[in-house]
Every structure is written in structure tokens, then in C-alpha cells.
Amino acid sequence: MTIDAVALSELYKDNLLKDVIPFWEKNSIDKDFGGFFTCLDKCGHIYDTDKFIWLQARQVWTFSMMYQEVEPKQEWLDIALHGAEFLKKFGRDEDGDWYFSLKQDGEPLIQPYNIFSDCFACMAFGKLYQITKDDEHAAIARFTFDRILQKQHQAKGKYEKSFPGTRSLQSFSLPMILCNLVLEIEPILNPELVSSTIQHGIQKVMEEFYQEDFGLILEHVGLEGEFVDSFEGRLINPGHGLEAMWFIMDLAKREQREDIVQKAVEISLQILERSWDKEHQGIFYFMDVLGKPVLQLEWDQKLWWVHIETMITLAKGYLLTGNEQCASWFNKVHEYTWTHFPDLENGEWFGYLNRSGQPLLDLKGGKWKGCFHVPRGLFQLWSIMEKLKIKQQISLLNS
């Protein structure tokens, strides 16, 4: 089994540059108040004007990344700066923590209860600094990263709803994001902090949230990394586990840890074997590790980000290890993804499918979906395919 890197490289490149990025350039810029509209219907029309900080920041990061990695187009930098100015002006409370959402004009709507607003703001300003060399951008990213580390053990702070001391759990989302965030903002961090964050992230993900008895990654574990038999403790989010594995591969490659790369590939394949819908195809959104009923009514939906992140993991795993199972699964996931999510008529991708694969919502953006997973994923896949093309050409010359 192999991957047609030549054809797929062009496919991902074209979808990114001729469809997805133009969709957001055309439809999302708020020229009156600043920032971006993310609540866009299937044709790109605005159906709500609320602004969610993590999606604002993600779009700043996306256009900064496009400027830095693809082409230094002034219009892409201008879009990133447009969003950054809105965030600087309206995004934080008096303590420097990032709100969850704002009204169109920047008036706060929802308090800074969600640490992921901070994570993506940090990511955005860290990436923007690498282009602008503006010390203010670096200072915002550093301050926010410090706040994230301060709050990581009680991420919601005073907004935490659970009763203290009764069922204390760690959530997978934050250590997972930190594994990626630390590499994104490495140029502005102390090397010792980068190293310690990397080691901590690998240890948390691969030794605590990965449970060898199940061969899977759990969404929540006890404070010592133990399995907790409850709704939260049994929960699996296959997309989170699969996305995290390409973060781990990047860290392991940086640390020259081939053993960690191999383990990440093995875990990815185990998650896929468990979470693939054998009746209707696609990857389930939520599952219970013991096969019990889950609380999430959307458990059987098929989501855009789950599938594109899985494709990155499998492509990266194949590039780094040559594992034939990665290639086989990649082709399978690509086929499902490409026949179900991209909207060839109106542009961009559908985000939410029902179990059988029909669009459940035909929106292109909202409270959770914005300009991030699709463009980042397409860029990652395009880049991986370019590397794979070279590797395949060398292999042919040597055969």
C-alpha cells in the first residue's frame, strides 16, 4: 500500500489556495468593528455577529502562518494584523485573561472561563511576532503563556462548577494543546522552559492519558493518572487522541526519540481500529472505553476536524516510519473525508455530518468551527505530500 503523493499534493494545495482561504478572505472580515465574523452559512453569509476569542485568535494565526510558510502576501499579513488589533483592544479583562466571547463591537459577552481562549491568543501573537518582530506581540504571547502555566491545574478558576475534592480529574485537552503550542512559540521562550514543557507534555500524554490496559487515550484521568470509572473517566474523544499523536510525533522528532514516534503510530492505529464506524464509515465523535452509553448525544456525528487531523497523523506517521498500515488507513480516511466534507458548490467544508454521512448542519462556521482546522490541515497535508514525493523519488532511483 502506498500514497499517491503527487496527485494529493496538488489536491490539497488547490483546495487551500483556491477555495478555503479565499472563502474566509471574502466573507469573514468585519470592516466596521474589526476582527472576524465566524458564523457563516453555507454560502458565506453572516447569520450571527458574536465573536469568539479562540476563533478570532485562530484566524490571526492562520493568516500569519500563510504569510510565513506559503507566501509573504501583504493582504494575508494585513488580515492577521486586523484581527490582532481587535484582540488587543477588546479581548482581555483587567487581569489579562482572555474572554470567551464578545459582541460585534467588542463588548464582553462571556467571562474568561475557558483557558483555550488564552492558548490560541498566545499561539496567534507568538506566530505574528515571528513576522513583525513587534515586541508588543511577543510580550502578549509570553504573558499569556505564563498565565496558562499558572492556571493549568485549575483552568477554569472561579468559574469551575465541580465540587472541590470529590472527583478530581485531569483533562486531556490542555496538555495536548501545550504539546503543539510550545513548538509554535518556541522562538520567544526560554530554552529551559521549552524543554521542560516538552518533557512534561510527552509524559502526560503518553504515560497518563494513554492507558495501556485499553490501548487508548482517555479524555479524563485521576490526579495520579489513574482510570476513574465514571462518565467523564470512561470518555474517549478519538479526534483528540489522533490529533495529539501528530503533535507528539513533532516533539519526538525534535527530541530525536524514534521510540516515541513509533509508539505514537501504534496508538493512532489502535484508536482508529476502535473508533471507525464499520457500518457507515467515518470516525465517531465520542465513545465510552468500556462500551457503556455516553452522555454526549452527538456521539455518533462525524466532524470535519476529527477527520482532517487524523489524515495529518496518518500521513506523518507514514512519512516518518513507512508503516504500511498508516498508508492504508490514510487512503481510507482521505476517501471518506473528500467525498463528504468539502462543499464543491459553495466552497469551504461542511463541519457536521450525521452518522450516515449527510450534512447535519450546512454552516461553514459558528461558535466552534472557524478559519483554522481546514486551512492548517490542508497546509500540513500539502507539506507532508511534498516531502513524501521526494522520499518516493529517491526510493525509485535506488531501486
PDB file of all heavy atoms in Angstrom, residues 202-233:
ATOM      1  N   ILE A 202       4.978  15.226  26.842  1.00  0.00           N
ATOM      2  CA  ILE A 202       5.134  13.837  26.398  1.00  0.00           C
ATOM      3  C   ILE A 202       4.760  12.876  27.520  1.00  0.00           C
ATOM      4  O   ILE A 202       4.051  11.891  27.308  1.00  0.00           O
ATOM      5  CB  ILE A 202       6.572  13.578  25.911  1.00  0.00           C
ATOM      6  CG1 ILE A 202       6.839  14.346  24.604  1.00  0.00           C
ATOM      7  CG2 ILE A 202       6.818  12.087  25.706  1.00  0.00           C
ATOM      8  CD1 ILE A 202       8.276  14.258  24.115  1.00  0.00           C
ATOM      9  N   GLN A 203       5.234  13.175  28.725  1.00  0.00           N
ATOM     10  CA  GLN A 203       4.953  12.300  29.862  1.00  0.00           C
ATOM     11  C   GLN A 203       3.448  12.228  30.149  1.00  0.00           C
ATOM     12  O   GLN A 203       2.892  11.134  30.337  1.00  0.00           O
ATOM     13  CB  GLN A 203       5.708  12.805  31.097  1.00  0.00           C
ATOM     14  CG  GLN A 203       5.617  11.885  32.317  1.00  0.00           C
ATOM     15  CD  GLN A 203       4.434  12.205  33.210  1.00  0.00           C
ATOM     16  OE1 GLN A 203       4.025  13.360  33.309  1.00  0.00           O
ATOM     17  NE2 GLN A 203       3.876  11.195  33.839  1.00  0.00           N
ATOM     18  N   LYS A 204       2.786  13.383  30.157  1.00  0.00           N
ATOM     19  CA  LYS A 204       1.350  13.422  30.448  1.00  0.00           C
ATOM     20  C   LYS A 204       0.551  12.642  29.407  1.00  0.00           C
ATOM     21  O   LYS A 204      -0.311  11.818  29.741  1.00  0.00           O
ATOM     22  CB  LYS A 204       0.857  14.878  30.491  1.00  0.00           C
ATOM     23  CG  LYS A 204       1.157  15.610  31.776  1.00  0.00           C
ATOM     24  CD  LYS A 204       0.256  15.113  32.895  1.00  0.00           C
ATOM     25  CE  LYS A 204       0.507  15.882  34.177  1.00  0.00           C
ATOM     26  NZ  LYS A 204      -0.265  15.332  35.299  1.00  0.00           N
ATOM     27  N   VAL A 205       0.821  12.932  28.149  1.00  0.00           N
ATOM     28  CA  VAL A 205       0.037  12.327  27.070  1.00  0.00           C
ATOM     29  C   VAL A 205       0.308  10.837  26.949  1.00  0.00           C
ATOM     30  O   VAL A 205      -0.624  10.021  26.876  1.00  0.00           O
ATOM     31  CB  VAL A 205       0.329  13.043  25.729  1.00  0.00           C
ATOM     32  CG1 VAL A 205      -0.310  12.293  24.570  1.00  0.00           C
ATOM     33  CG2 VAL A 205      -0.174  14.483  25.771  1.00  0.00           C
ATOM     34  N   MET A 206       1.583  10.452  26.960  1.00  0.00           N
ATOM     35  CA  MET A 206       1.951   9.076  26.619  1.00  0.00           C
ATOM     36  C   MET A 206       1.982   8.130  27.818  1.00  0.00           C
ATOM     37  O   MET A 206       1.993   6.904  27.632  1.00  0.00           O
ATOM     38  CB  MET A 206       3.319   9.075  25.932  1.00  0.00           C
ATOM     39  CG  MET A 206       3.375   9.972  24.701  1.00  0.00           C
ATOM     40  SD  MET A 206       2.188   9.513  23.413  1.00  0.00           S
ATOM     41  CE  MET A 206       3.133   8.240  22.552  1.00  0.00           C
ATOM     42  N   GLU A 207       1.987   8.673  29.035  1.00  0.00           N
ATOM     43  CA  GLU A 207       2.086   7.799  30.203  1.00  0.00           C
ATOM     44  C   GLU A 207       0.902   7.912  31.161  1.00  0.00           C
ATOM     45  O   GLU A 207       0.711   7.031  32.003  1.00  0.00           O
ATOM     46  CB  GLU A 207       3.384   8.088  30.961  1.00  0.00           C
ATOM     47  CG  GLU A 207       4.633   7.811  30.142  1.00  0.00           C
ATOM     48  CD  GLU A 207       5.911   8.127  30.906  1.00  0.00           C
ATOM     49  OE1 GLU A 207       5.882   8.124  32.154  1.00  0.00           O
ATOM     50  OE2 GLU A 207       6.928   8.397  30.240  1.00  0.00           O
ATOM     51  N   GLU A 208       0.136   8.982  31.057  1.00  0.00           N
ATOM     52  CA  GLU A 208      -1.020   9.121  31.941  1.00  0.00           C
ATOM     53  C   GLU A 208      -2.334   9.015  31.174  1.00  0.00           C
ATOM     54  O   GLU A 208      -3.160   8.141  31.466  1.00  0.00           O
ATOM     55  CB  GLU A 208      -0.941  10.449  32.715  1.00  0.00           C
ATOM     56  CG  GLU A 208       0.215  10.493  33.706  1.00  0.00           C
ATOM     57  CD  GLU A 208       0.147  11.687  34.648  1.00  0.00           C
ATOM     58  OE1 GLU A 208      -0.970  12.198  34.892  1.00  0.00           O
ATOM     59  OE2 GLU A 208       1.210  12.110  35.134  1.00  0.00           O
ATOM     60  N   PHE A 209      -2.525   9.882  30.181  1.00  0.00           N
ATOM     61  CA  PHE A 209      -3.788   9.831  29.451  1.00  0.00           C
ATOM     62  C   PHE A 209      -3.856   8.629  28.514  1.00  0.00           C
ATOM     63  O   PHE A 209      -4.945   8.114  28.260  1.00  0.00           O
ATOM     64  CB  PHE A 209      -4.015  11.137  28.686  1.00  0.00           C
ATOM     65  CG  PHE A 209      -4.342  12.280  29.599  1.00  0.00           C
ATOM     66  CD1 PHE A 209      -3.352  13.144  30.044  1.00  0.00           C
ATOM     67  CD2 PHE A 209      -5.632  12.480  30.047  1.00  0.00           C
ATOM     68  CE1 PHE A 209      -3.650  14.188  30.902  1.00  0.00           C
ATOM     69  CE2 PHE A 209      -5.942  13.522  30.913  1.00  0.00           C
ATOM     70  CZ  PHE A 209      -4.948  14.373  31.343  1.00  0.00           C
ATOM     71  N   TYR A 210      -2.715   8.188  27.999  1.00  0.00           N
ATOM     72  CA  TYR A 210      -2.706   6.908  27.286  1.00  0.00           C
ATOM     73  C   TYR A 210      -2.721   5.807  28.326  1.00  0.00           C
ATOM     74  O   TYR A 210      -1.839   5.725  29.188  1.00  0.00           O
ATOM     75  CB  TYR A 210      -1.468   6.765  26.396  1.00  0.00           C
ATOM     76  CG  TYR A 210      -1.346   5.367  25.812  1.00  0.00           C
ATOM     77  CD1 TYR A 210      -2.274   4.909  24.882  1.00  0.00           C
ATOM     78  CD2 TYR A 210      -0.326   4.507  26.213  1.00  0.00           C
ATOM     79  CE1 TYR A 210      -2.185   3.628  24.363  1.00  0.00           C
ATOM     80  CE2 TYR A 210      -0.225   3.226  25.688  1.00  0.00           C
ATOM     81  CZ  TYR A 210      -1.159   2.785  24.764  1.00  0.00           C
ATOM     82  OH  TYR A 210      -1.064   1.516  24.260  1.00  0.00           O
ATOM     83  N   GLN A 211      -3.749   4.970  28.255  1.00  0.00           N
ATOM     84  CA  GLN A 211      -3.922   3.893  29.209  1.00  0.00           C
ATOM     85  C   GLN A 211      -3.614   2.562  28.505  1.00  0.00           C
ATOM     86  O   GLN A 211      -4.380   2.119  27.638  1.00  0.00           O
ATOM     87  CB  GLN A 211      -5.354   3.891  29.753  1.00  0.00           C
ATOM     88  CG  GLN A 211      -5.726   5.181  30.479  1.00  0.00           C
ATOM     89  CD  GLN A 211      -5.359   5.167  31.940  1.00  0.00           C
ATOM     90  OE1 GLN A 211      -5.717   4.264  32.687  1.00  0.00           O
ATOM     91  NE2 GLN A 211      -4.624   6.194  32.369  1.00  0.00           N
ATOM     92  N   GLU A 212      -2.495   1.983  28.868  1.00  0.00           N
ATOM     93  CA  GLU A 212      -2.031   0.778  28.171  1.00  0.00           C
ATOM     94  C   GLU A 212      -3.021  -0.373  28.282  1.00  0.00           C
ATOM     95  O   GLU A 212      -3.148  -1.183  27.358  1.00  0.00           O
ATOM     96  CB  GLU A 212      -0.669   0.356  28.725  1.00  0.00           C
ATOM     97  CG  GLU A 212       0.055  -0.604  27.812  1.00  0.00           C
ATOM     98  CD  GLU A 212       1.527  -0.727  28.152  1.00  0.00           C
ATOM     99  OE1 GLU A 212       2.016   0.024  29.030  1.00  0.00           O
ATOM    100  OE2 GLU A 212       2.188  -1.567  27.526  1.00  0.00           O
ATOM    101  N   ASP A 213      -3.750  -0.434  29.387  1.00  0.00           N
ATOM    102  CA  ASP A 213      -4.728  -1.527  29.558  1.00  0.00           C
ATOM    103  C   ASP A 213      -5.803  -1.479  28.476  1.00  0.00           C
ATOM    104  O   ASP A 213      -6.321  -2.525  28.066  1.00  0.00           O
ATOM    105  CB  ASP A 213      -5.401  -1.430  30.935  1.00  0.00           C
ATOM    106  CG  ASP A 213      -4.449  -1.789  32.067  1.00  0.00           C
ATOM    107  OD1 ASP A 213      -3.370  -2.343  31.778  1.00  0.00           O
ATOM    108  OD2 ASP A 213      -4.775  -1.502  33.223  1.00  0.00           O
ATOM    109  N   PHE A 214      -6.140  -0.280  28.027  1.00  0.00           N
ATOM    110  CA  PHE A 214      -7.155  -0.121  26.986  1.00  0.00           C
ATOM    111  C   PHE A 214      -6.541   0.073  25.602  1.00  0.00           C
ATOM    112  O   PHE A 214      -7.220  -0.106  24.585  1.00  0.00           O
ATOM    113  CB  PHE A 214      -8.057   1.080  27.290  1.00  0.00           C
ATOM    114  CG  PHE A 214      -8.770   1.006  28.609  1.00  0.00           C
ATOM    115  CD1 PHE A 214      -8.523   1.950  29.594  1.00  0.00           C
ATOM    116  CD2 PHE A 214      -9.680  -0.008  28.886  1.00  0.00           C
ATOM    117  CE1 PHE A 214      -9.178   1.896  30.817  1.00  0.00           C
ATOM    118  CE2 PHE A 214     -10.341  -0.072  30.103  1.00  0.00           C
ATOM    119  CZ  PHE A 214     -10.092   0.877  31.079  1.00  0.00           C
ATOM    120  N   GLY A 215      -5.282   0.501  25.556  1.00  0.00           N
ATOM    121  CA  GLY A 215      -4.653   0.833  24.281  1.00  0.00           C
ATOM    122  C   GLY A 215      -5.213   2.105  23.674  1.00  0.00           C
ATOM    123  O   GLY A 215      -5.159   2.308  22.464  1.00  0.00           O
ATOM    124  N   LEU A 216      -5.755   2.984  24.528  1.00  0.00           N
ATOM    125  CA  LEU A 216      -6.441   4.180  24.062  1.00  0.00           C
ATOM    126  C   LEU A 216      -6.091   5.374  24.943  1.00  0.00           C
ATOM    127  O   LEU A 216      -5.563   5.200  26.047  1.00  0.00           O
ATOM    128  CB  LEU A 216      -7.966   3.965  24.090  1.00  0.00           C
ATOM    129  CG  LEU A 216      -8.508   2.863  23.179  1.00  0.00           C
ATOM    130  CD1 LEU A 216      -9.946   2.528  23.554  1.00  0.00           C
ATOM    131  CD2 LEU A 216      -8.425   3.272  21.707  1.00  0.00           C
ATOM    132  N   ILE A 217      -6.414   6.570  24.456  1.00  0.00           N
ATOM    133  CA  ILE A 217      -6.224   7.801  25.215  1.00  0.00           C
ATOM    134  C   ILE A 217      -7.570   8.227  25.781  1.00  0.00           C
ATOM    135  O   ILE A 217      -8.570   8.318  25.048  1.00  0.00           O
ATOM    136  CB  ILE A 217      -5.638   8.905  24.323  1.00  0.00           C
ATOM    137  CG1 ILE A 217      -4.173   8.585  23.995  1.00  0.00           C
ATOM    138  CG2 ILE A 217      -5.733  10.275  24.989  1.00  0.00           C
ATOM    139  CD1 ILE A 217      -3.527   9.524  23.009  1.00  0.00           C
ATOM    140  N   LEU A 218      -7.605   8.482  27.078  1.00  0.00           N
ATOM    141  CA  LEU A 218      -8.821   8.915  27.745  1.00  0.00           C
ATOM    142  C   LEU A 218      -8.873  10.436  27.821  1.00  0.00           C
ATOM    143  O   LEU A 218      -7.836  11.100  27.875  1.00  0.00           O
ATOM    144  CB  LEU A 218      -8.891   8.337  29.158  1.00  0.00           C
ATOM    145  CG  LEU A 218      -8.892   6.800  29.260  1.00  0.00           C
ATOM    146  CD1 LEU A 218      -8.919   6.379  30.728  1.00  0.00           C
ATOM    147  CD2 LEU A 218     -10.077   6.210  28.512  1.00  0.00           C
ATOM    148  N   GLU A 219     -10.080  10.972  27.864  1.00  0.00           N
ATOM    149  CA  GLU A 219     -10.266  12.417  27.978  1.00  0.00           C
ATOM    150  C   GLU A 219     -10.006  12.922  29.391  1.00  0.00           C
ATOM    151  O   GLU A 219      -9.637  14.075  29.578  1.00  0.00           O
ATOM    152  CB  GLU A 219     -11.685  12.810  27.555  1.00  0.00           C
ATOM    153  CG  GLU A 219     -11.864  12.999  26.074  1.00  0.00           C
ATOM    154  CD  GLU A 219     -11.048  14.157  25.525  1.00  0.00           C
ATOM    155  OE1 GLU A 219     -11.399  15.332  25.773  1.00  0.00           O
ATOM    156  OE2 GLU A 219     -10.045  13.891  24.840  1.00  0.00           O
ATOM    157  N   HIS A 220     -10.222  12.069  30.390  1.00  0.00           N
ATOM    158  CA  HIS A 220     -10.019  12.470  31.779  1.00  0.00           C
ATOM    159  C   HIS A 220      -9.427  11.312  32.559  1.00  0.00           C
ATOM    160  O   HIS A 220      -9.839  10.155  32.381  1.00  0.00           O
ATOM    161  CB  HIS A 220     -11.343  12.883  32.445  1.00  0.00           C
ATOM    162  CG  HIS A 220     -12.087  13.942  31.714  1.00  0.00           C
ATOM    163  ND1 HIS A 220     -13.120  13.657  30.839  1.00  0.00           N
ATOM    164  CD2 HIS A 220     -11.949  15.297  31.703  1.00  0.00           C
ATOM    165  CE1 HIS A 220     -13.588  14.778  30.328  1.00  0.00           C
ATOM    166  NE2 HIS A 220     -12.899  15.787  30.832  1.00  0.00           N
ATOM    167  N   VAL A 221      -8.459  11.615  33.409  1.00  0.00           N
ATOM    168  CA  VAL A 221      -7.898  10.623  34.332  1.00  0.00           C
ATOM    169  C   VAL A 221      -7.795  11.280  35.707  1.00  0.00           C
ATOM    170  O   VAL A 221      -7.930  12.495  35.845  1.00  0.00           O
ATOM    171  CB  VAL A 221      -6.509  10.117  33.874  1.00  0.00           C
ATOM    172  CG1 VAL A 221      -6.610   9.362  32.554  1.00  0.00           C
ATOM    173  CG2 VAL A 221      -5.506  11.274  33.770  1.00  0.00           C
ATOM    174  N   GLY A 222      -7.551  10.463  36.723  1.00  0.00           N
ATOM    175  CA  GLY A 222      -7.366  10.998  38.065  1.00  0.00           C
ATOM    176  C   GLY A 222      -6.084  11.790  38.180  1.00  0.00           C
ATOM    177  O   GLY A 222      -5.252  11.829  37.262  1.00  0.00           O
ATOM    178  N   LEU A 223      -5.892  12.413  39.322  1.00  0.00           N
ATOM    179  CA  LEU A 223      -4.744  13.299  39.514  1.00  0.00           C
ATOM    180  C   LEU A 223      -3.415  12.578  39.439  1.00  0.00           C
ATOM    181  O   LEU A 223      -2.370  13.182  39.185  1.00  0.00           O
ATOM    182  CB  LEU A 223      -4.872  14.033  40.855  1.00  0.00           C
ATOM    183  CG  LEU A 223      -6.088  14.956  40.989  1.00  0.00           C
ATOM    184  CD1 LEU A 223      -6.044  15.706  42.326  1.00  0.00           C
ATOM    185  CD2 LEU A 223      -6.174  15.943  39.825  1.00  0.00           C
ATOM    186  N   GLU A 224      -3.421  11.263  39.671  1.00  0.00           N
ATOM    187  CA  GLU A 224      -2.200  10.466  39.556  1.00  0.00           C
ATOM    188  C   GLU A 224      -2.151   9.683  38.250  1.00  0.00           C
ATOM    189  O   GLU A 224      -1.337   8.772  38.096  1.00  0.00           O
ATOM    190  CB  GLU A 224      -2.096   9.494  40.740  1.00  0.00           C
ATOM    191  CG  GLU A 224      -2.097  10.168  42.106  1.00  0.00           C
ATOM    192  CD  GLU A 224      -0.940  11.131  42.269  1.00  0.00           C
ATOM    193  OE1 GLU A 224       0.167  10.823  41.792  1.00  0.00           O
ATOM    194  OE2 GLU A 224      -1.156  12.220  42.862  1.00  0.00           O
ATOM    195  N   GLY A 225      -3.053  10.019  37.342  1.00  0.00           N
ATOM    196  CA  GLY A 225      -3.088   9.323  36.055  1.00  0.00           C
ATOM    197  C   GLY A 225      -3.876   8.033  36.086  1.00  0.00           C
ATOM    198  O   GLY A 225      -3.821   7.245  35.138  1.00  0.00           O
ATOM    199  N   GLU A 226      -4.659   7.828  37.121  1.00  0.00           N
ATOM    200  CA  GLU A 226      -5.401   6.576  37.251  1.00  0.00           C
ATOM    201  C   GLU A 226      -6.746   6.638  36.514  1.00  0.00           C
ATOM    202  O   GLU A 226      -7.316   7.711  36.313  1.00  0.00           O
ATOM    203  CB  GLU A 226      -5.635   6.247  38.733  1.00  0.00           C
ATOM    204  CG  GLU A 226      -6.670   7.114  39.445  1.00  0.00           C
ATOM    205  CD  GLU A 226      -6.117   8.426  39.987  1.00  0.00           C
ATOM    206  OE1 GLU A 226      -5.022   8.840  39.543  1.00  0.00           O
ATOM    207  OE2 GLU A 226      -6.805   9.043  40.826  1.00  0.00           O
ATOM    208  N   PHE A 227      -7.237   5.467  36.113  1.00  0.00           N
ATOM    209  CA  PHE A 227      -8.551   5.344  35.493  1.00  0.00           C
ATOM    210  C   PHE A 227      -9.625   5.581  36.541  1.00  0.00           C
ATOM    211  O   PHE A 227      -9.564   5.064  37.650  1.00  0.00           O
ATOM    212  CB  PHE A 227      -8.711   3.948  34.884  1.00  0.00           C
ATOM    213  CG  PHE A 227     -10.100   3.645  34.393  1.00  0.00           C
ATOM    214  CD1 PHE A 227     -10.671   4.372  33.362  1.00  0.00           C
ATOM    215  CD2 PHE A 227     -10.846   2.628  34.976  1.00  0.00           C
ATOM    216  CE1 PHE A 227     -11.953   4.095  32.915  1.00  0.00           C
ATOM    217  CE2 PHE A 227     -12.125   2.329  34.526  1.00  0.00           C
ATOM    218  CZ  PHE A 227     -12.683   3.065  33.494  1.00  0.00           C
ATOM    219  N   VAL A 228     -10.634   6.396  36.187  1.00  0.00           N
ATOM    220  CA  VAL A 228     -11.751   6.696  37.088  1.00  0.00           C
ATOM    221  C   VAL A 228     -13.028   6.229  36.400  1.00  0.00           C
ATOM    222  O   VAL A 228     -13.410   6.767  35.358  1.00  0.00           O
ATOM    223  CB  VAL A 228     -11.827   8.197  37.414  1.00  0.00           C
ATOM    224  CG1 VAL A 228     -13.028   8.483  38.310  1.00  0.00           C
ATOM    225  CG2 VAL A 228     -10.542   8.671  38.068  1.00  0.00           C
ATOM    226  N   ASP A 229     -13.684   5.225  36.971  1.00  0.00           N
ATOM    227  CA  ASP A 229     -14.861   4.623  36.344  1.00  0.00           C
ATOM    228  C   ASP A 229     -16.087   5.516  36.562  1.00  0.00           C
ATOM    229  O   ASP A 229     -16.835   5.357  37.521  1.00  0.00           O
ATOM    230  CB  ASP A 229     -15.097   3.227  36.909  1.00  0.00           C
ATOM    231  CG  ASP A 229     -16.112   2.431  36.086  1.00  0.00           C
ATOM    232  OD1 ASP A 229     -16.725   3.023  35.172  1.00  0.00           O
ATOM    233  OD2 ASP A 229     -16.294   1.227  36.355  1.00  0.00           O
ATOM    234  N   SER A 230     -16.272   6.469  35.646  1.00  0.00           N
ATOM    235  CA  SER A 230     -17.397   7.399  35.677  1.00  0.00           C
ATOM    236  C   SER A 230     -17.634   7.837  34.238  1.00  0.00           C
ATOM    237  O   SER A 230     -16.853   7.504  33.341  1.00  0.00           O
ATOM    238  CB  SER A 230     -17.065   8.612  36.550  1.00  0.00           C
ATOM    239  OG  SER A 230     -15.979   9.344  35.991  1.00  0.00           O
ATOM    240  N   PHE A 231     -18.722   8.598  34.013  1.00  0.00           N
ATOM    241  CA  PHE A 231     -18.965   9.093  32.657  1.00  0.00           C
ATOM    242  C   PHE A 231     -17.737   9.805  32.103  1.00  0.00           C
ATOM    243  O   PHE A 231     -17.296   9.546  30.982  1.00  0.00           O
ATOM    244  CB  PHE A 231     -20.156  10.067  32.651  1.00  0.00           C
ATOM    245  CG  PHE A 231     -21.497   9.412  32.587  1.00  0.00           C
ATOM    246  CD1 PHE A 231     -22.404   9.554  33.628  1.00  0.00           C
ATOM    247  CD2 PHE A 231     -21.876   8.669  31.483  1.00  0.00           C
ATOM    248  CE1 PHE A 231     -23.657   8.965  33.569  1.00  0.00           C
ATOM    249  CE2 PHE A 231     -23.130   8.069  31.404  1.00  0.00           C
ATOM    250  CZ  PHE A 231     -24.023   8.222  32.461  1.00  0.00           C
ATOM    251  N   GLU A 232     -17.181  10.726  32.905  1.00  0.00           N
ATOM    252  CA  GLU A 232     -16.037  11.502  32.435  1.00  0.00           C
ATOM    253  C   GLU A 232     -14.793  10.631  32.295  1.00  0.00           C
ATOM    254  O   GLU A 232     -14.024  10.770  31.339  1.00  0.00           O
ATOM    255  CB  GLU A 232     -15.736  12.655  33.401  1.00  0.00           C
ATOM    256  CG  GLU A 232     -16.864  13.667  33.532  1.00  0.00           C
ATOM    257  CD  GLU A 232     -17.798  13.348  34.693  1.00  0.00           C
ATOM    258  OE1 GLU A 232     -17.829  12.175  35.144  1.00  0.00           O
ATOM    259  OE2 GLU A 232     -18.507  14.268  35.145  1.00  0.00           O
ATOM    260  N   GLY A 233     -14.587   9.727  33.245  1.00  0.00           N
ATOM    261  CA  GLY A 233     -13.392   8.899  33.241  1.00  0.00           C
ATOM    262  C   GLY A 233     -13.366   7.855  32.143  1.00  0.00           C
ATOM    263  O   GLY A 233     -12.289   7.413  31.733  1.00  0.00           O
TER     264      GLY A 233
END
